[in-house]
Amino acid sequence: MDIRISFPLGTFKDSGAAFLFIHDVVKFDINVISSVTSFPDGDWFSNVDDVATDLSTNNDHIFDLHDGKNIDDHGMVSVNAVVFRREPYYNLEVFAIGLKEVEKLDYERLIKKSAECGFTTIIGMDFLKAKWQSERFVQNYITFGKPHEHLDKMEDLVLGKSFGPVIDISKNPGHEIQTYEMYLMAAPEMWFGPGSWKYFDKKLVSTFPNGIEVNEILPDVVYVKLFDWTTPDYETPEILALQKKFRKWVKMDEVEANLNNMTSPLYEVATLKLDLKDPDNPKEEFSILSAVKNIFRKKK
């Protein structure tokens, strides 16, 4: 099972606090920790307090934990793992959890602690079954032998220069998207938290008539089970119709569009040309795009 837990930026005072939050709810043995600054090459997990101190001191914008037998096992479906990311351009802090064993998470404690912190959304699904609803690159459809002619395409200001037209995933009822303060998806399982009601109508979410279960399980926390996450195929006509019906009922398309307008995604900012001088070479102008490329180059 794959889970995304979204919070507004600044929910956690630093990455050490975020680590302690998630450490308290995972039920698998953490063997490895990696992060940009504190543990750049990955390290075997030892002491909780020492790890929290290091992460707090350096305030890493990303860290990951897993129970693999090798340091580089992260990303494998054979491990239980957590990634924390801080996304300033989306005003977002998010935990992405991948579970090979669904029982390796204290869900009740997670929801309660998340509610106390004012989470926006939590979504649960099987990413491998859901991913094609969020796939933007035509070439990936071609590589895997999947038809794409029926899908709407769009020109992307940045990606189009290298990849040509991309899939307009906004037309796919099962797509997942990272947007302002939250991840959104008409997922098999969803929790709408206290922070979501600035954007969603709680009454609409609470009264959706076609879910398997719709309940306010805590004050200002509404749980929606749209369909079983273990369903073999997420792209049957019945599932897609249900997702479309849910999105329409709670006005998710409108909410998503409004939230997208509130973000400042890096790739969009990077296309703005500024009349600035390179401090190392005053004769040369540089754009934000070149500066961003340099940042990424240094991180490799």
Side-chain angles (χ1 to χ4, degrees), residues 213-225:
E213 180 182 349
V214 180
N215 262 320
E216 184 167 0
I217 57 175
L218 290 171
D220 281 335
V221 177
V222 176
Y223 169 65
V224 178
K225 184 173 184 179

Side-chain angles (χ1 to χ4, degrees), residues 183-204:
Y183 266 78
L184 279 182
M185 178 186 176
E189 296 190 51
M190 296 166 279
W191 292 259
F192 292 81
S196 69
W197 308 125
K198 292 187 294 182
Y199 312 109
F200 283 96
D201 185 324
K202 182 179 173 183
K203 183 176 180 180
L204 289 178

Side-chain angles (χ1 to χ4, degrees), residues 204-211 214 224 226 242 245-246 249-250:
L204 289 178
V205 175
S206 303
T207 57
F208 180 66
N210 301 113
V214 180
V224 178
L226 202 57
L242 179 60
K245 186 177 294 186
F246 178 77
W249 183 276
V250 304

